[in-house]
Amino acid sequence: MSGGTPIERVWPAPGTGPLTDPQLTALYDRATQPHLRVNFVASADGAVTLDDYSAGLSGQPDKRVFGLLRMLCDGLLVAAGTLRHEGYGAVRLSADRRAWRRERGLAEFPTLVVVSGSLDLDPAQGCFADAPVRPLVLTRSDAVPPAGLAEVADLIRCGTDHVDLAAGLAELRRRGLGQVLCEGGPHLFGALTAADLVDELCLTVAPLLAGAGPGRITAGPASAPRHLSLRHVLAAADGVLMLRYTRDHPT
């Protein structure tokens, strides 16, 4: 869709009017090499949730880009806690977005990839039970799956005392999932950063103050800072900003 709240480019070169979906797609296009993109929304004062859910921060412009990023990826990476808390359903795309993928030789739907060290997952949840593509679960070598999970998802065991994200990402790439989009949560983002696996951050800034209480978009043990380069700034008519940052290596 190209309607709704207009989105315009304001940096590096101001646009000449509202961006269409094809123009937005070009701005966020697939990388030419294996790539891990992280997508988050936050309030202007840094909160990752509003009333305990990220949906409270996300408006129509953010959802529009959110959908396009899903269209562009091969694998959709999410932590089990976020999957449960946000109530993920099956990852599906509209007919026009499926057609876009087919025209480029991609599978019609991206593959859902869940990170779960404990395998505390419900096979009846829509993201598994109704999935158009069999999901993958990155887990520890000794984790015991609940009854029925193996019938609806494939387990990839990587790591002993914790999920080895580098090994898991390498296995995803071996399976042809070179363009991976991570939707959180904060602890998974923090772990990916600590493992030096993040190539890109797409950050939507909602024009509100959430106040004290909610956490940041990243969490977990401290890790070394890593420099990012700003690629573009988009602004929606409702005051939302959409920032795209990438690592300095070629993307």
Side-chain angles (χ1 to χ4, degrees):
M1 60 175 266
S2 299
T5 306
I7 299 173
E8 297 190 19
R9 187 177 64 198
V10 297
W11 191 90
T16 57
L19 294 164
T20 64
D21 277 3
Q23 289 171 324
L24 278 172
T25 299
L27 285 171
Y28 288 99
D29 206 0
R30 289 167 60 90
T32 58
Q33 60 188 20
H35 192 80
L36 175 64
R37 169 183 278 162
V38 178
N39 184 42
F40 267 96
V41 60
S43 67
D45 55 351
V48 70
T49 58
L50 188 65
D51 297 328
D52 206 32
Y53 289 91
S54 62
L57 297 169
S58 178
Q60 187 273 332
D62 178 60
K63 291 175 181 175
R64 182 178 166 197
V65 171
F66 177 93
L68 290 174
L69 295 185
R70 283 189 168 191
M71 180 186 76
L72 287 162
C73 75
D74 300 316
L76 181 65
L77 185 68
V78 63
T82 297
L83 189 88
R84 291 190 299 266
H85 183 72
E86 299 284 349
Y88 268 57
V91 178
R92 297 188 179 275
L93 301 176
S94 63
D96 59 326
R97 289 177 179 171
R98 296 199 306 273
W100 185 94
R101 291 174 65 89
R102 286 195 305 270
E103 290 167 2
R104 288 154 181 81
L106 305 175
E108 279 202 353
F109 300 94
T111 299
L112 176 67
V113 183
V114 182
V115 179
S116 177
S118 66
L119 290 181
D120 180 14
L121 299 167
D122 180 5
Q125 186 172 340
C127 58
F128 295 114
D130 300 326
V133 177
R134 190 174 172 87
L136 304 174
V137 180
L138 305 183
T139 190
R140 295 179 293 123
S141 58
D142 60 349
V144 179
L149 184 63
E151 280 70 56
V152 295
D154 292 335
L155 305 186
I156 298 175
R157 297 186 181 274
C158 44
T160 51
D161 58 337
H162 67 282
V163 178
D164 185 332
L165 294 172
L169 191 60
E171 176 60 19
L172 295 182
R173 290 170 176 170
R174 189 188 72 79
R175 294 178 180 227
L177 306 183
Q179 308 288 303
V180 176
L181 170 65
C182 177
E183 293 181 350
H187 281 92
L188 177 55
F189 185 20
L192 290 167
T193 301
D196 201 24
L197 298 173
V198 177
D199 297 303
E200 178 176 336
L201 170 63
C202 295
L203 178 63
T204 296
V205 181
L208 58 85
L209 298 176
R216 297 171 54 208
I217 64 172
T218 188
S223 60
R226 290 169 176 83
H227 183 265
L228 299 174
S229 296
L230 182 62
R231 298 304 181 190
H232 71 229
V233 180
L234 310 180
D238 59 1
V240 167
L241 292 178
M242 279 159 280
L243 315 176
R244 179 175 179 244
Y245 296 93
T246 65
R247 294 290 295 272
D248 289 332
H249 52 244
T251 57

